[in-house]
Amino acid sequence: MRTEIIAVGTELLLGQIVDTNSSWMGEQLALAGIDSHYQTKVGDNWNRIEDAFRLALDRSDAVIVCGGLGPTQDDITREVLASVMGVELVLDEAIAERIRGMFASRSRAMPENNLRQAMVPVGARPIPQQPGTAPGLIAPIRWVRGVGAVTADDNAGSGEVLERVVYVVPGVPYEMREMVSGTVLGDIQRLAGVTATIESRVLRTWGQSESGLAEMLAGRIDELDEVGNPTLAFLASGIEGIKVRITAKGADSHDAWRLIDAEQAELELLLGDLVFAYDDDTMETTVLAELARNGLTLGVAETITGGRMSNRLSSAEAAMRAGTAPGAAKVGDPGLAGTSDNGGDHASATDETDRIFNGGIVARSAHMADYLLHAGSAQVSPLGDGLVPPVASAAGAEALARAARNRTGASVGLAVTAVEDRGSATEAHPFGTAFLAISIATHAGDGASPDVAHREASDEVRLPGDRERLADYSAISALNLLRLILQGRR
């Protein structure tokens, strides 16, 4: 069964909004075992939208249209669909009442133009999920190539009558995802006769490039190509790491997961310490779970990263405590990817008043960095009281890590600096050189395992890209260094 995606909106063509909806739907269709051959973007113009609809219906069995379902005059997807179907739009009172109820629940009067969203082409039906005011639609169409829609009473002449279906969903991402996941994918699978179950797992890695990973796994990929199931795919995702996705097809879910588990074991042997998390867990949730397992707290000092680490750690810890983190990690977990069991009962910072992440300091100016490094410099600076190392250096990162630990009252200090100004770059330390440092100081009663207590470590890495990517890569690299130390791998 051939499926096609049409994204409607002039803002997509102008580059004002990046079309992440189509890429997400394409991924979900692939995971559901459904062929998706075309993706089209079209502006808010009646003739061009109609042309896109007719072309799609000529060549594809199912068409998913995203966008153009709002209440304003330029939201014309419903009207064009009705025209292509050769039918009228009628008011669906159940949808109208639901929209009125949404406005009433917010103590607001509903503008009359919102009733446009309750208009449905004759023969179409609404998608059950409706998280916003815009309902989705399912429109079965009897179609003749080069002719258009025909009714059961029409004479199609010499043309073959094809059974097509159009799914229309809103452009608001969370509304679109709820409808596609809740109805559209299952309906297309039913029409396509897809009976096999397809499952996938993502291994998140850091420490090797996408091409480097592909080279490491080249032999395994060749073996899988001969078998055909499961399959591997790579996706470079910036600060989220480089993802390796295992996808398997089975007679049922248990059969698919059996293949995935076996393949995951093979990949972990090949990738080793590069794997830091699975599926929706992140570097932050992995590090926070390891800190909690060891009864440790964390403070960070940032220069190049400009608060990225603090923001991501704060958000991750809040979500883990609330049980709303996208992945499986929660505060008090016994560790995530690659965790070793050091034995013993480790304290876990699960009490609301006992935070794992104590806080962070962003030192963007020389004055701020000097203040941090001079304050308590007998404890901070390796050069002695009154003397501080250059910030963008290994010694500077080490001093900042100690300052982060002392100033935030944490047992672990983490710092990252970098050569972020091309004018100050040297042959020894070119632009993109990042300095990472960790300072750990705990008491025997803190519950930390012996291999992580009372330790300092630093690393110097060369990172690619412009300044923004340098900041992202510096953040995940620093957190990854801490992960490896906490897991006893460094």
Side-chain angles (χ1 to χ4, degrees), residues 86 94 128 144 177 221 247 262-263 305 409 426 467 489:
V144 177
R177 293 188 180 200
I221 292 171
T247 302
E263 187 57 33
T305 50
T426 65
R467 191 196 173 285
R489 296 166 180 262

Side-chain angles (χ1 to χ4, degrees), residues 248-260:
K249 181 185 295 185
D252 54 28
S253 184
H254 180 269
D255 189 34
W257 280 115
R258 179 181 58 79
L259 292 171
I260 289 174

Side-chain angles (χ1 to χ4, degrees), residues 1 18 45 99 177 214 239 291 344 359 361 367 402 486:
M1 186 169 185
V18 177
N45 175 277
I99 296 173
R177 293 188 180 200
I239 199 170
L291 288 164
I361 304 165
H367 174 79
R402 288 188 286 273
L486 294 173

Side-chain angles (χ1 to χ4, degrees), residues 373 375-382 384-385 398-399 402-403 405-406 439 456:
L373 296 183
S377 57
Q379 296 175 306
V380 170
S381 174
D385 191 23
E398 291 165 3
R402 288 188 286 273
R405 175 171 53 77
N406 289 331
S439 174
E456 295 193 345

Side-chain angles (χ1 to χ4, degrees), residues 396-422:
E398 291 165 3
L400 282 174
R402 288 188 286 273
R405 175 171 53 77
N406 289 331
R407 282 302 188 180
T408 64
S411 46
V412 179
L414 175 63
V416 56
T417 70
V419 179
E420 57 178 289
D421 178 8
R422 296 184 187 275

Side-chain angles (χ1 to χ4, degrees), residues 300-308 310 360-365 368-369 372:
V300 302
E302 307 185 56
T303 61
I304 173 67
T305 50
R308 279 170 172 78
S310 296
I361 304 165
V362 178
R364 291 298 302 152
S365 70
M368 184 66 177
L372 281 176

Side-chain angles (χ1 to χ4, degrees), residues 90-157:
V90 295
L91 181 70
D92 186 309
E93 284 293 347
I95 295 176
E97 193 56 36
R98 184 183 299 180
I99 296 173
R100 292 189 187 98
M102 289 180 181
F103 277 90
S105 68
R106 303 167 193 161
S107 301
R108 293 170 57 192
M110 184 193 75
E112 283 302 308
N113 64 351
N114 276 95
L115 285 179
R116 296 183 68 240
Q117 297 179 291
M119 302 299 289
V120 176
V122 173
R125 65 184 188 275
I127 291 174
Q129 296 80 17
Q130 188 186 336
T133 60
L137 299 171
I138 303 174
I141 304 176
R142 300 178 77 249
W143 190 262
V144 177
R145 286 193 183 96
V147 176
V150 296
T151 66
D153 300 328
D154 287 340
N155 182 0

